[in-house]
Amino acid sequence: MDSSSFLSQFIQQMINGISLGSIYALIALGYTMVYGILKLINFAHGDIYMLGAYAGFFAASVLRLSFFPSLLFAMLAAALAGMAIERLAYRPLRRAPRITALITAIGVSFFLDYTLILFVSPQPRTFPAIFESEIYRFYGIIINSQQILIFAVSLLLMAFLTYVVQCTRIGKAMRAVSYDTDTARLMGINVDKVISWTFALGSALAAAAGVLVGIYYNSIDPLMGMMPGIKAFVAAVLGGIGIIPGAMAGGLILGIVEAMASGFLSSTFRDAVAFSILILILLFKPSGLLGKNTREKV
């Protein structure tokens, strides 16, 4: 491969990686927000992403909504589902040992997967074409409109989340609860309400990722949340779990590394690369790349 071909391939994989990494980042934000407040790794979060994809599918195919109304519908449905899961499954275990909540999260994950299989069958569904795909070519580099959409929507949602956490009353309450839950309660903050909002925001972001993936890959199925959910967890750990900018950075880095592995090595090697990153980060920097910046925790 000559230098110009290598550069073209590198830029192409960089674009692919940013697109994939934006999806990981949206899901990873939910992991990191919940962990930041409850110190809980919510392994059911990948299934919220799947529920969001199906809610978007329902909105687009049954209600005949266009892209943005379908996206908002899916985010709202997932937010309500996330709040319900927190209220029914996690809140009763608030004072239980951490391992109990962790096992419950795994149970909730399987419950959601197989309940949906019961109602919609395990067969993949073709996601409606609610966003036209156009291909742009620049000096041998291919970008399609769906990749641009994924990046633009992800960036917009990350900016919105940052605004909510840094500049709104509920965001300040989230930060206070993440620093010291008992003190926040003594100061009059309704901790249960803050935790519910945290689940709602994280779930809404995961749902947006589910809809974007449905549009991009044109297919959804009830088990689609397992691998992206685990990859997003890797991204959250890579950036520093509990830290919002870390989840964003971790998602993008993981997506780019996976795309490079697919482009220059083999697509079958991409999962091995992702989990190798998890092992390395746990061995050499368990707090993640931005782990020292604890003041940014939510």
Side-chain angles (χ1 to χ4, degrees):
M1 184 183 295
D2 58 35
S3 59
S4 62
S5 298
F6 176 83
L7 182 61
S8 175
Q9 176 78 338
F10 181 84
I11 295 173
Q12 181 68 64
Q13 296 308 328
M14 182 68 76
I15 292 169
N16 296 342
I18 290 172
S19 175
L20 178 64
S22 299
I23 298 295
Y24 289 153
L26 282 180
I27 308 173
L29 284 169
Y31 274 111
T32 213
M33 290 175 69
V34 170
Y35 184 85
I37 287 185
L38 289 180
K39 299 294 180 287
L40 166 68
I41 299 172
N42 180 20
F43 280 116
H45 193 61
D47 302 284
I48 294 292
Y49 152 85
M50 175 270 295
L51 286 180
Y54 270 88
F57 172 82
F58 176 81
S61 61
V62 178
L63 303 180
R64 305 287 182 187
L65 299 180
S66 58
F67 169 67
F68 280 109
S70 296
L71 184 69
L72 294 176
F73 179 86
M75 292 174 71
L76 178 61
L80 293 175
M83 293 172 78
I85 289 169
E86 186 276 327
R87 180 67 184 85
L88 298 174
Y90 299 142
R91 191 177 298 182
L93 302 175
R94 193 73 57 79
R95 297 189 181 279
R98 198 174 297 176
I99 188 67
T100 305
L102 184 66
I103 294 170
T104 301
I106 296 172
V108 171
S109 171
F110 283 106
F111 173 79
L112 293 175
D113 283 341
Y114 290 97
T115 300
L116 200 69
I117 286 176
L118 177 67
F119 286 104
V120 302
S121 86
Q123 299 301 320
R125 302 293 181 99
T126 301
F127 203 92
I130 54 176
F131 190 85
E132 292 296 328
S133 176
E134 295 185 18
I135 295 177
Y136 308 100
R137 299 175 190 274
F138 302 96
Y139 303 101
I141 298 167
I142 300 173
I143 306 174
N144 67 47
S145 55
Q146 292 169 340
Q147 288 177 312
I148 297 172
L149 175 74
I150 289 173
F151 182 66
V153 171
S154 301
L155 201 62
L156 189 65
L157 290 175
M158 289 178 203
F160 173 72
L161 177 66
T162 303
Y163 170 78
V164 168
V165 170
Q166 297 295 336
C167 305
T168 67
R169 191 170 180 177
I170 188 68
K172 292 174 183 174
M174 286 178 182
R175 285 186 284 151
V177 173
S178 74
Y179 286 135
D180 192 324
T181 303
D182 292 332
T183 303
R185 187 179 283 112
L186 288 173
M187 296 296 290
I189 293 174
N190 187 333
V191 173
D192 289 337
K193 181 180 175 183
V194 170
I195 292 172
S196 289
W197 272 103
T198 303
F199 271 83
L201 277 173
S203 300
L205 294 176
V211 173
L212 293 172
V213 165
I215 292 172
Y216 188 62
Y217 292 106
N218 199 31
S219 176
I220 59 174
D221 68 81
L223 300 181
M224 64 181 281
M226 286 190 171
M227 186 56 77
I230 296 173
K231 296 277 187 70
F233 171 67
V234 173
V237 173
L238 173 62
I241 193 162
I243 303 168
I244 286 180
M248 299 176 188
L252 290 173
I253 292 171
L254 183 65
I256 291 170
V257 170
E258 275 198 19
M260 293 295 175
S262 298
F264 291 102
L265 298 174
S266 168
S267 60
T268 57
F269 198 60
R270 52 186 286 183
D271 291 345
V273 169
F275 294 113
S276 297
I277 290 175
L278 176 64
I279 294 168
L280 289 174
I281 201 74
L282 289 176
L283 282 175
F284 297 106
K285 201 170 189 314
S287 59
L289 298 177
L290 304 183
K292 291 182 180 178
N293 193 8
T294 54
R295 285 180 298 175
E296 293 294 327
K297 284 173 51 179
V298 172

